Amino acid sequence: EDEAADAAAFAGGSRMKRLAAAKCADVVITLDGKSAKLRAMTDTGNMLTDPLSGRGVALCELDAVADLFSSEMAEYWKKGDLSADLSAKYAKRLRFIPSRGALSGKTSLIAAVEADSVTVINGKGEREADILIAPVPYNLSAGESRALLPPGFVD
């Protein structure tokens, strides 16, 4: 199965019903001295978590964060090939997150990365978020938002 398709099914589902109630914020992701700022919204259906640390996982459109990574890593996420050889620099930052596809019902893995920092900025100010980032090679169809945050990070 294609991990990206399963993640899309997971992120999709009944998300359209939740769009009106979604909370939005800007998110600044920093990795190896590079930063990307993108609009994000809370997706109450995003229950992706790292099974080892319990940290939440934000899905991000790859195009919005591609400049944070080498071309090697951008290709890694585009292809979704979890068996690809990666440099140690990136391999030590990756976490593999089980994702149960809403349509297929099968469990697959998506790759998430541990950024140097993730800052959530909204009308209440700025705060650091202890979450992983999972770039996905497709549009999340979340309006102007380019990332889907787990619940509780925009409050």
Side-chain angles (χ1 to χ4, degrees), residues 13-74:
S14 62
R15 180 169 32 107
M16 296 309 288
K17 295 177 185 176
R18 298 187 301 267
L19 282 175
K23 296 178 181 178
C24 294
D26 289 321
V27 175
V28 177
I29 302 164
T30 304
L31 180 69
D32 293 332
K34 299 177 189 175
S35 293
K37 183 176 183 179
L38 54 151
R39 192 75 176 149
M41 64 182 273
T42 298
D43 180 2
T44 57
N46 178 357
M47 297 297 161
L48 291 172
T49 56
D50 177 6
L52 297 177
S53 68
R55 295 165 73 184
V57 179
L59 295 173
C60 300
E61 292 178 9
L62 178 58
D63 289 345
V65 295
D67 290 344
L68 297 177
F69 304 104
S70 67
S71 58
E72 168 196 27
M73 281 306 294

Side-chain angles (χ1 to χ4, degrees), residues 5 7 23 37 48 63 74-75 77 79 94 106-108 122 126 130 135-136 149 151 153 155:
K23 296 178 181 178
K37 183 176 183 179
L48 291 172
D63 289 345
E75 279 300 309
W77 271 294
K79 293 179 180 176
L94 287 182
K106 295 180 180 178
T107 300
S108 62
N122 63 12
E126 297 183 10
D130 188 22
V136 292
L149 297 171
F153 285 93
D155 298 332

